[in-house]
Amino acid sequence: MDQFVGGYTGDKPMDNEVRSMTLSQKEQIESKLNTSFSVFNPLSYQTQVVAGINYKVKVDVGEGKEISVVIFKALPCYGGNLEVSKASFIAVSYTHLTLPTICSV
């Protein structure tokens, strides 16, 4: 898929830099979601160039659950600080359910 100006890139495989950045924000992410995670495995990410870079990261938190996190990284001239701007659970998809046949004609 082509990237639109101002939009997010497509999914990128996790790399060490983004993994490390995401893990460094785990406490802030848990605080935003009012929970704690024993499993916290960053899976993939997208980027968006703004007045810095937004990293939208998909994280496996165990028990078949994933979260989506947006971490803003300011430009170096503004300190390069990190801020968790959004965190939410990803809705589970039930598109592959097979329902039993109750009766047949």
Side-chain angles (χ1 to χ4, degrees), residues 45-63:
Y45 70 99
Q46 301 174 339
T47 57
Q48 177 188 39
V49 176
V50 288
I53 300 177
N54 280 328
Y55 293 86
K56 185 188 291 185
V57 184
K58 185 193 294 187
V59 182
D60 171 17
V61 293
E63 299 178 11

Side-chain angles (χ1 to χ4, degrees), residues 10-95:
D11 283 344
K12 299 177 182 181
M14 187 51 57
D15 61 38
N16 289 334
E17 179 183 358
V18 178
R19 179 183 312 280
S20 180
M21 177 183 66
T22 305
L23 293 174
S24 77
Q25 300 302 301
K26 181 178 185 254
E27 187 174 308
Q28 287 76 16
I29 293 165
E30 290 174 331
S31 177
K32 273 203 180 286
L33 294 172
N34 197 30
T35 191
S36 61
F37 302 111
S38 57
V39 174
F40 195 83
N41 182 31
L43 300 172
S44 62
Y45 70 99
Q46 301 174 339
T47 57
Q48 177 188 39
V49 176
V50 288
I53 300 177
N54 280 328
Y55 293 86
K56 185 188 291 185
V57 184
K58 185 193 294 187
V59 182
D60 171 17
V61 293
E63 299 178 11
K65 297 178 184 175
E66 294 178 349
I67 60 172
S68 176
V69 179
V70 177
I71 302 170
F72 172 72
K73 183 175 183 181
L75 293 170
C77 61
Y78 296 114
N81 297 326
L82 299 174
E83 177 187 343
V84 177
S85 55
K86 295 180 186 175
S88 60
F89 283 90
I90 297 174
V92 177
S93 172
Y94 293 103
T95 57

Side-chain angles (χ1 to χ4, degrees), residues 101-105:
T101 304
I102 295 173
C103 61
S104 56
V105 179

